Amino acid sequence: MTSDDRVGPYVLETRIAAGDAADVWLAHRAEGGLRVVLKRLLPPWTERSSVRETFLEIIKDAIPIRHSNIVPVLDFGEAEGYCYVAFERVDGMPLFRVLHGDEPVGEDRALAVAQGMVQGLSFVHQRSNPFTGGRLLHGDVSPQNILVDHAGQV
């Protein structure tokens, strides 16, 4: 892919993660230049209506969630054969890299990271799905998708 590729209103810049079902890009909105992180559900997954619908329903659940420890969802949709979700772009580092960095993680920093994770997860788990009334869950808590910004905010 080149930086000229688009998904809906977004121009893809740099791929930052890739898996079998989805990839994640630094991107910007073509109109207005809003910088985002864009996650795309990839074919052949998008060709399966049940997977596509589940992906989009999960995103709809996340839209109203606003908490200092959760990166907000800004937009979502379907375009060019992909389902996508755009998140606010936050500068920082995945927890995996923090833990495996050159400097050991001190007790105070480890405690602050753990508290931030628990506060964000607790907030989500106290909410309910506006469509079904069921509880919301985060299905993939891992050091690769927990971000620590330069100020230490999780």
Side-chain angles (χ1 to χ4, degrees), residues 1 3 11-12 16-17 20 29 34 48 71 92 95 106 117 128:
M1 284 214 157
S3 62
V11 177
L12 304 177
I16 56 175
D20 291 336
R29 194 170 179 94
L34 176 67
R48 298 173 61 187
V71 177
L95 180 58
M117 291 177 355
S128 63

Side-chain angles (χ1 to χ4, degrees), residues 23-117:
D23 60 8
V24 180
W25 291 79
L26 298 177
H28 66 273
R29 194 170 179 94
E31 254 182 60
L34 176 67
R35 299 175 72 210
V36 301
V37 172
L38 190 88
K39 181 175 185 175
R40 300 184 309 173
L41 183 64
L42 303 171
W45 300 98
T46 55
E47 296 161 7
R48 298 173 61 187
S49 62
S50 62
V51 173
R52 189 175 62 251
E53 290 167 11
T54 299
F55 179 87
L56 295 172
E57 286 301 314
I58 290 169
I59 300 309
K60 289 177 187 176
D61 289 346
I63 289 172
I65 295 174
R66 294 292 183 261
H67 187 272
S68 62
N69 296 105
I70 299 172
V71 177
V73 171
L74 302 174
D75 189 14
F76 72 100
E78 295 181 74
E80 288 82 33
Y82 301 101
C83 293
Y84 67 87
V85 57
F87 297 94
E88 182 177 299
R89 196 160 165 175
V90 177
D91 290 324
M93 173 182 311
L95 180 58
F96 178 83
R97 288 194 16 222
V98 172
L99 296 174
H100 292 89
D102 293 334
E103 297 180 25
V105 177
E107 184 178 313
D108 289 344
R109 187 166 190 202
L111 181 59
V113 167
Q115 285 176 327
M117 291 177 355

Side-chain angles (χ1 to χ4, degrees), residues 2 7 41 52 54 63 75 88 94 101 110 112 127 140 142 144 150 154:
T2 68
V7 175
L41 183 64
R52 189 175 62 251
T54 299
I63 289 172
D75 189 14
E88 182 177 299
R127 301 294 172 263
D140 188 16
S142 66
Q144 288 83 354
H150 300 296
V154 176

Side-chain angles (χ1 to χ4, degrees), residues 14 30 64 91 112 118 136 141:
T14 305
D91 290 324
V118 169
L136 299 182
V141 177

